[in-house]
């Protein structure tokens, strides 16, 4: 297989990103949108408070002509206030959130979740399809179900993940039993999510430590793709056994580099004149054409010039996360 040298760009500092009072980081698109609003209205700082948290903590709002900002995503929406819209300063708001978290932690100490988690070996704790643990409340429910099942897997997935990402849907009988469902309320930015143990899929063997992992694909110059694009790439990589390789290049660039794609692996296409291929699905067929490697700025800003002239780089940028300002 052909392996190109991945040219790493710099890292955008997490501190620059807009965040919620609870510490969740907004997507790049929402970050730019919120920064533009804050700048227009003269609000300093990049901390925003979702309306459910305002209600939960009974945070007092100051007199303001501005309503909360609505953020839309593919599957949900949330309204947020800027930290400047409250009667109390940001450090007081943060202390109130920390006090709430401490109360939750103290209340949880006497619950069975601590006992269950301590007894469960680390290699048996439930994991998502990203290979990550769940919040404690969700984990407790999952451990209870797993403790009563002989064939339970440690991996849990949504109905869409099992069917679309792993091509191993849950059976209708399994989904129809409410006792197989765990609903997670972990993130205040998203609607509740129903999860099921993958033992109920038509092929639980497709969920393992090699396939249930984070997949953050990058392009030729090391820029990350947008989440919706990355999900399509993960599904593709799972299907054609190239999940271990994160770098993707355009078909035109592959040809320019003297690479051809493997015959059994199709191109990943989009609703724009652009097709991509995972570099692990290519092999060398000729010497690469003359080209100058693209210059990568320290803050991972798009290079001003590319070896492939427009419109291809312009098309690909529509699939990439913009750099944080």
């Amino acid at each position: 297989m052909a392996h190109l040298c991945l040219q790493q760009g710099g890292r955008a500092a997490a501190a620059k990103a807009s965040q919620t009072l609870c510490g969740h980081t907004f997507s790049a698109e929402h970050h730019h949108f919120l920064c533009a609003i804050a700048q227009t209205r003269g609000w300093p700082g990049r901390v925003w408070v979702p309306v459910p948290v305002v209600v939960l903590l009974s945070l007092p709002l100051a007199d303001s002509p501005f309503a909360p900002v609505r953020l839309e995503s593919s599957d949900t929406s949330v309204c947020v206030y800027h930290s400047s819209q409250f009667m109390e300063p940001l450090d007081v708001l943060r202390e109130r959130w920390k006090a709430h978290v401490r109360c939750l932690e103290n209340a949880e100490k006497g619950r069975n979740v601590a006992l269950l988690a301590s007894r469960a070996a680390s290699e048996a704790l439930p994991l998502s399809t990203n290979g990550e643990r769940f919040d404690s409340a969700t984990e407790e429910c999952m451990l209870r179900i797993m403790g009563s099942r002989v064939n339970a897997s440690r991996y849990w997935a949504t109905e869409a993940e099992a069917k679309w990402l792993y091509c191993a849907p849950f059976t209708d009988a399994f989904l129809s039993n409410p006792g197989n469902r765990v609903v997670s309320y972990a993130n205040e930015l998203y609607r509740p999510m129903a999860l099921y143990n993958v033992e109920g899929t038509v092929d639980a063997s497709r969920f393992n430590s090699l396939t249930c992992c984070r997949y953050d694909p990058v392009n030729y110059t090391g820029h990350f793709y947008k989440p919706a694009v990355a999900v399509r790439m993960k599904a593709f990589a799972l299907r054609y056994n190239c999940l271990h390789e994160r770098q993707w290049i355009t078909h035109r660039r592959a040809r320019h580099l003297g690479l051809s794609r493997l015959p059994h692996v199709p191109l990943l296409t989009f609703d724009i004149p652009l097709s991509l291929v995972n570099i692990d699905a290519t092999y060398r067929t000729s010497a690469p054409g003359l080209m100058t490697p693209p210059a990568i700025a320290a803050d991972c800003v798009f290079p001003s010039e590319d070896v492939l002239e427009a419109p291809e780089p312009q098309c690909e940028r529509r699939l990439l996360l913009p750099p944080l300002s």
Side-chain angles (χ1 to χ4, degrees), residues 238-256:
L238 283 166
R239 185 167 302 179
Y240 295 102
N241 195 30
C242 51
L243 193 64
H244 55 281
E245 178 54 65
R246 297 169 52 230
Q247 192 174 42
W248 293 68
I249 57 176
T250 65
H251 188 215
R252 182 184 174 196
R253 190 184 297 278
R255 294 198 306 269
H256 196 82

Side-chain angles (χ1 to χ4, degrees), residues 190-264:
Y190 300 100
R191 64 185 180 187
M193 181 169 54
L195 297 151
Y196 303 85
N197 192 279
V198 301
E199 68 168 328
T201 65
V202 297
D203 185 5
S205 66
R206 294 186 63 85
F207 302 84
N208 54 63
S209 59
L210 297 179
T211 61
C212 293
C213 58
R214 284 200 65 85
Y215 189 63
D216 298 311
V218 296
N219 77 337
Y220 176 69
T221 56
H223 291 81
F224 289 103
Y225 288 95
K226 292 180 178 179
V229 178
V231 169
R232 286 194 59 191
M233 288 177 164
K234 182 173 183 178
F236 187 100
L238 283 166
R239 185 167 302 179
Y240 295 102
N241 195 30
C242 51
L243 193 64
H244 55 281
E245 178 54 65
R246 297 169 52 230
Q247 192 174 42
W248 293 68
I249 57 176
T250 65
H251 188 215
R252 182 184 174 196
R253 190 184 297 278
R255 294 198 306 269
H256 196 82
L257 292 170
L259 304 174
S260 296
R261 62 182 174 87
L262 298 175
H264 69 283

